[in-house]
Amino acid sequence: MKATLILSLALFAATPTLVHAHGDFKCNEPAAEWKKRDELVSKLEKDGWQIRKIKIDNGCYEVYGFDKQGNKKESYFNPKTLELIGNVVQ
């Protein structure tokens, strides 16, 4: 029971950090200058990623998947340059 309480408190304490982390990544590139999602998928697959989902969040491409080492990733990419901006899950 004590271990469950400690684990619950730890997860609760971590939650605001994870939610806040999403807001840290913003892209302000004009839509006409964005590269297509397929280009990002090709680039990441060439780097050994397995892509599960790509969506747009705060003007960036948000990618859910696994890197070549099998690590779970939730990463943000600049839609114009396809450069990695940051990771929420590493």
Side-chain angles (χ1 to χ4, degrees), residues 40-78:
L40 179 58
V41 169
S42 294
K43 174 187 182 300
L44 293 175
E45 286 179 344
K46 192 180 288 187
D47 291 340
W49 282 51
Q50 292 180 6
I51 308 302
R52 297 291 179 240
K53 179 180 177 182
I54 297 178
K55 66 179 195 172
I56 297 169
D57 186 36
N58 288 330
C60 304
Y61 283 131
E62 183 180 13
V63 178
Y64 296 84
F66 299 88
D67 66 13
K68 67 180 175 183
Q69 289 85 21
N71 300 313
K72 186 176 181 179
K73 293 287 187 176
E74 180 181 344
S75 303
Y76 284 76
F77 292 84
N78 180 303

Side-chain angles (χ1 to χ4, degrees), residues 1-9:
M1 169 101 170
K2 197 174 199 178
T4 303
L5 178 60
I6 291 170
L7 179 59
S8 296
L9 289 173

Side-chain angles (χ1 to χ4, degrees), residues 5-6 17 20-21 25 34 36 39 44 52 70 72 80:
L5 178 60
I6 291 170
T17 303
H20 178 70
F25 307 112
W34 284 28
K36 295 184 179 186
E39 291 181 61
L44 293 175
R52 297 291 179 240
K72 186 176 181 179
K80 180 179 177 180

